[in-house]
Amino acid sequence: MSDQTKRTNQHISTRMVQANGVIDPQTGGVVPPIQSATTFARNTDYSLISDKHLYSRDDSDLLRLGEEILAKAEHAEAGLLFPSGMAAIAAIMRTVPNRGTIIVQSQIYWGTTKWVRYFCARREIALHEIDCSDLDVLSKAIEAEKPDLVFIETPSNPWLRITDIESAASMSHAAGAKLVVDSTAASPVLSNPLTLGADIVMHSATKSINGHSDVLAGFLATADAQSDIWQSISMDRHDAGAVLGSFEAWLLIRGMRTLPLRMERMCANAMSVAAFLDNHSKVETVLYPGITSHPGHELATKQMNGGYGSLLSFLVKGDAKTALEVCSKLEIFKRATSLGGVESLVEHRHSVEGNATGVPENLIRLSVGIEHIDDLVGDLSEALR
Ligand code: PLP
């Protein structure tokens, strides 16, 4: 498959829609074909028929294409796709030596926190969970702990905290640490952490990159493909076999072609939902960086590319029972985990996390989709009545 586009400075929306300008060289098809073979025959002299096709655990056409499209979108030198976001996070964490030190942002995606706690205990790695969105706290922790790795998530899930990537990168680098940014909630459309100094950007591509809640995938990208950390991740992915299959890669590429368009609509919808909730008498607080009263609003405006994402939380006045009642009355917002899909979802995170991270009992998390805004606001209005 070849990129026949000579114009190099295209917008991300053009690149994504055109899947980097790919054309199937066999047929001229404007959609890439699925190569389903896991193994490839050799010639009689034992040379490969095609030097890019040996065994599909090493690599495959669609894996490469998906990685190239996303790497370009992140202004990265290289990118790697994994079978899930957690597989990508695990690949990063495995680069930290036994008895090393990791700083991880507190109150982020619960699956990350849970797995990292287990992993660090097993490998005798010192784990410091701190609020990285507070730069004083972050700088003191980096100075005191001299970590190997700093892992932040911005905007964070489900608190929507915004962390200053540029400052976090310079603080980390001054102490010899690598900075990894989980940018899932922003997507490559709204934020490009590598351009702000991060060493690695991570995405659960299961979310908005795919956008249709039908593929699990993870993605990592770097600005320095020769760095030790990237070489180690890339060797581990290759040899330990955490690759995405061709069918999933094909679906992912199909999904990401509309990512910029979907993000535009999701951001606009989320902004209107946030404004509606912000003025509602039964709502205590809205956590969404798009509203001016949010503590991270100014920073998000500066470091995000003209939108605040589709993830939003709010605290309803009342307790867990009140919050669960609101969730139960919603009809358009489906009661399901995950985020970034075309369909709107609602989740009561306290029912999932319990008291492990301090998520309030009255917090309701929304993933705002691309439905008509009147229906979304109408659904919330009925549920809060
Ligand atoms: N990071 C964030 C911010 C997430 O929300 C999630 C999943 O919800 C993950 C990582 C893990 O991704 P996956 O479910 O693809 O393993």
Side-chain angles (χ1 to χ4, degrees), residues 196-211:
L196 299 172
D199 297 283
I200 293 177
V201 58
M202 178 267 151
H203 289 279
S204 164
T206 312
K207 315 301 183 207
S208 57
I209 289 177
N210 176 60

Side-chain angles (χ1 to χ4, degrees), residues 155 186 189-191 263 267-268 288-290 300-301 303-309:
V189 174
L190 298 182
S191 180
M263 282 315 289
C267 288
Y288 186 64
T301 306
Q303 78 178 13
M304 295 175 77
N305 309 325
Y308 304 92

Side-chain angles (χ1 to χ4, degrees), residues 123-358:
R123 296 264 306 268
E124 295 178 53
I125 291 170
L127 171 65
H128 301 277
E129 290 179 46
I130 57 151
D131 177 7
C132 300
S133 69
D134 183 331
L135 289 181
D136 271 352
V137 170
L138 180 60
S139 124
K140 284 190 185 120
I142 291 178
E143 248 171 61
E145 309 303 342
K146 303 272 178 294
D148 298 281
L149 195 88
V150 176
F151 185 97
I152 63 172
E153 186 184 282
T154 184
S156 69
N157 169 14
W159 287 86
L160 281 302
R161 294 207 176 97
I162 303 294
T163 296
D164 184 332
I165 299 171
E166 209 165 6
S167 303
S170 55
M171 286 173 191
S172 303
H173 295 160
K178 298 290 181 195
L179 178 73
V180 179
V181 181
D182 182 337
S183 192
T184 298
S187 89
V189 174
L190 298 182
S191 180
N192 299 119
L194 300 179
T195 64
L196 299 172
D199 297 283
I200 293 177
V201 58
M202 178 267 151
H203 289 279
S204 164
T206 312
K207 315 301 183 207
S208 57
I209 289 177
N210 176 60
H212 295 77
S213 307
D214 54 8
V215 177
L216 280 172
F219 179 68
L220 299 179
T222 181
D224 182 3
Q226 296 315 311
S227 59
D228 289 348
I229 188 169
W230 190 257
Q231 289 293 314
S232 161
I233 289 171
S234 144
M235 189 186 75
D236 193 56
R237 208 283 306 258
H238 183 272
D239 294 350
V243 288
L244 192 68
S246 279
F247 289 100
E248 283 81 6
W250 187 88
L251 268 175
L252 188 67
I253 291 163
R254 177 184 160 128
M256 69 174 85
R257 293 174 90 137
T258 54
L259 172 66
L261 192 62
R262 285 184 281 107
M263 282 315 289
E264 222 176 281
R265 174 70 169 254
M266 290 197 292
C267 288
N269 277 357
M271 196 69 178
S272 301
V273 165
F276 165 76
L277 292 171
D278 203 31
N279 285 315
H280 201 286
S281 60
K282 299 216 175 131
V283 173
E284 195 178 292
T285 318
V286 177
L287 306 175
Y288 186 64
I291 55 174
T292 51
S293 56
H294 186 279
H297 175 71
E298 251 177 64
L299 177 58
T301 306
K302 189 175 130 214
Q303 78 178 13
M304 295 175 77
N305 309 325
Y308 304 92
S310 60
L311 186 65
L312 178 160
S313 295
F314 66 100
L315 305 184
V316 68
K317 285 182 185 161
D319 53 13
K321 189 167 165 277
T322 327
L324 283 165
E325 263 168 28
V326 173
C327 294
S328 76
K329 287 184 190 155
L330 286 164
E331 290 183 5
I332 304 220
F333 284 85
K334 300 290 177 258
R335 288 168 291 282
T337 195
S338 205
L339 54 112
V342 290
E343 63 287 299
S344 293
L345 303 178
V346 60
E347 212 184 6
H348 183 241
R349 288 301 305 174
H350 192 271
S351 294
V352 181
E353 298 178 28
N355 294 320
T357 57

Side-chain angles (χ1 to χ4, degrees), residues 46-61:
Y46 220 67
S47 61
L48 287 168
I49 290 174
S50 152
D51 60 8
K52 284 200 171 134
H53 298 93
L54 190 160
Y55 187 53
S56 297
R57 193 189 63 225
D58 301 337
D59 204 350
S60 70
D61 288 340

